[in-house]
Every structure is written in structure tokens, then in C-alpha cells.
Amino acid sequence: MVLTVRDVERFEASRPRLEALAYRLLGSASEAEDAVQETFLRWQAADVDRIEVPEAWLTKVLTNLCLNQLTSARARRETYVGQWLPEPLLAGDPMLGPADTAEQRESVSYAVLVLLERLSPSERAVYVLREAFAYAHREIAEILDISESASQQIHHRAKKHVAAGKTRSEVDEAAARKIIDEFLAAATSGRTEPLVRLLTQDAVAVGDGGGKVPARARAFEGARAVATFMRGLFKPSKAKRDLVGGSPDIYAATANGGPALVVVVDGRVVGVMCLEIGADGIAAFRSQVNPDKLERATRRWAAGEHGEPLLRVF
């Protein structure tokens, strides 16, 4: 079927919301773009004049495409080299979607995206539709072809799982920036103790290299283990410079609405370290260094102004 200009415009008006939904469901910007494009092809093939509520139709199609993708992704991630982490999005990226409420901001935080990986596809879909986009359970039931009571039960279960894994409290932006400055000073001091004091006792550090960049297959756990790792990570060496292609600049930034360090070499983002900070200190470092998952971040970085780096290392 040939779409009219108006039909295309109706789809394009929904694209930002669809991309934001797909990203939360899949944790991958590139996969989200593919899912939205497939939704457009379905829209193109449909008798759109008979679709009474285009937004509802598009949401249903996209969500079910993402559910299929999540099911197959589970099998692929079992063979993924090392840890699988979501693709980080830098501040201002339209794919971050709505951020008017605390629930919307939390639903796209890096820590919560990691937790969503533990949910079943249906739990993830219900959680995202309810928390990030405020769909009523009646609407979610229609999207997923389940009963309204089933949607309520799945949401309760998913929300409980996510809440159990979250940092107990949050800190404001100014406090987070102060902790980042203290962390960099400690990490480059060559001493472990200053780092230990900034971390929670159960702190973790994990990285995703995708088999293309060296990254530990298992997370570092505990304040001292993480501090020792960070001290070594920030110690200059020729091997590290050769690995990333030069001396990287480190900037304080925001990724997925939270504090992050962006590592840049000659305008190319080679790493994004997302920090999870609570009232007791830094609870987690999650570093994305897989180049396949940093292409969008590099494009976003190139489009903005960032001032002077906090640090040049290696």
C-alpha cells in the first residue's frame, strides 16, 4: 500500500516516542532504531485508513516486535563475550524520551536498565509501559494480549524486582559532581585507601568490551577490590595508550540522566563510565567500552560543546 504524505507525517510524529519506548525495552539504541523502522514497514503495509487510533496500533506493533527481539536476545547474550551492558545515551539524546516525572527519569537510568535485564520480556514490557509511559493496565492488557489483572500482577512483580536491586537513596547533581572530582583525585593518587573511603562496602565495577576491547568477564566486588582495580585502571602506561589510540581526555558528563565519565580520544568516545552514587558513596561503576555501543555517543559528543577535560590520563 502506498502511504500518503499525511500517513508518513502521522508516523513521524510518533517516532520519538516509539524510539524512546524501544530503547527502554531493548537497552540498545541501534536495535531500537531497527525496531522502529520495522514498525514503519508494518504501517506501510497496513490499511491505515481503517486504523482508528494510530498511536495505539503503532505501540502494540512495536512492543510485540521488541518482545520477540528480547526473547532471541537472551539466547545471543548467553554467548556474548564478557558482561553485556546497555548502550549509554548522553544528555540531550532524544531517545531518552520523556523525563517529566521521577518514574520516567528512573526508567531510563543506567542502573535500572541493567536491572531490567533480569526481568522476563513480559515483565520488562509491562514495567516500561506503566512506569515510563503511564499506560493504564487496561491499555497494557490490550497491547500484550493479556488480562488486566495479569498486567497488574506482572507489574507488581517487576517493580518489586527492580526496587530490590536499586541503590537505597540518590544524591543531587552538585553532590554527585563533588564525588566525581574526589574520585578522580583519589584514582590518580596511586593509593588505594582514598578510593576505598569513597565507595560503599558492597561496591561493584563491571565493564562491557564485547570481545573487542579487554574487559574483565566478572565484576569486581567489594570496596577494596574495586579500589585496587580503579587505581590500576588510571595508572598511565604505553600499552593503554596504544589500546585506545592515544592519550584520552576524561570529562564529567551525564548519561541516562545520571553522573558519568566520558573518555574521549581525538573526538571519538572510547568509553562511558556510569556511576551509581548513593548517600553512602559510590555503589557501582558500569563502563561501556564496546566500540559498537559507542557510535551514537560519539555522534552526540561531536555535536556539542564540552569545555576543558577534567583529566588527561595514560
Side-chain angles (χ1 to χ4, degrees), residues 44 64 67 163 251:
Q44 190 176 39
N64 283 282
L67 282 172
Y251 295 82

Side-chain angles (χ1 to χ4, degrees), residues 42-268:
R42 303 286 179 93
W43 173 254
Q44 190 176 39
D47 185 353
V48 297
D49 290 335
R50 301 185 64 181
I51 297 174
E52 295 182 3
V53 186
E55 182 176 299
W57 188 92
L58 292 169
T59 300
K60 183 180 179 71
V61 170
L62 176 75
T63 300
N64 283 282
L65 285 171
C66 289
L67 282 172
N68 292 337
Q69 180 79 358
L70 283 170
T71 301
S72 62
R74 284 197 161 199
R76 292 199 311 274
R77 288 171 192 172
E78 288 179 1
T79 60
Y80 190 82
V81 178
Q83 293 278 343
W84 190 97
L85 290 176
E87 181 177 345
L89 297 183
L90 300 182
D93 193 311
M95 197 174 279
L96 289 168
D100 298 327
T101 67
E103 290 80 9
Q104 289 172 338
R105 292 189 293 273
E106 184 178 77
S107 71
V108 79
S109 72
Y110 206 70
V112 167
L113 286 179
V114 170
L115 292 172
L116 292 182
E117 287 295 312
R118 305 177 186 178
L119 303 183
S120 69
S122 62
E123 287 173 338
R124 185 165 185 163
V126 171
Y127 181 89
V128 168
L129 288 167
R130 181 67 177 163
E131 296 294 312
F133 295 89
Y135 278 89
H137 284 293
R138 173 184 54 79
E139 296 171 306
I140 296 173
E142 292 174 356
I143 291 170
L144 299 179
D145 292 324
I146 59 177
S147 69
E148 187 172 345
S149 62
S151 176
Q152 293 170 337
Q153 292 168 5
I154 293 170
H155 176 251
H156 176 75
R157 187 166 64 243
K159 194 169 183 178
K160 185 177 180 181
H161 287 327
V162 171
K166 288 191 302 187
T167 299
R168 290 176 293 279
S169 59
E170 304 296 329
V171 298
D172 61 35
E173 187 175 344
R177 176 57 189 270
K178 183 175 183 293
I179 291 174
I180 285 177
D181 290 340
E182 292 174 349
F183 164 70
L184 287 177
T188 55
S189 70
R191 298 165 53 220
T192 302
E193 290 306 321
L195 278 167
V196 171
R197 289 194 291 269
L198 292 173
L199 309 178
T200 62
Q201 286 304 305
D202 57 352
V204 298
V206 61
D208 177 351
K212 299 186 176 184
V213 174
R216 182 179 166 91
R218 295 177 62 85
F220 290 92
E221 300 180 352
R224 187 158 295 278
V226 171
T228 301
F229 166 68
M230 288 295 168
R231 185 190 65 187
L233 181 65
F234 282 84
K235 185 177 181 180
S237 74
K238 182 178 182 301
K240 292 174 185 175
R241 288 192 295 273
D242 292 342
L243 178 65
V244 299
S247 294
D249 292 325
I250 296 182
Y251 295 82
T254 300
N256 293 77
L261 294 172
V262 177
V263 186
V264 181
V265 175
D266 296 331
R268 176 173 53 92

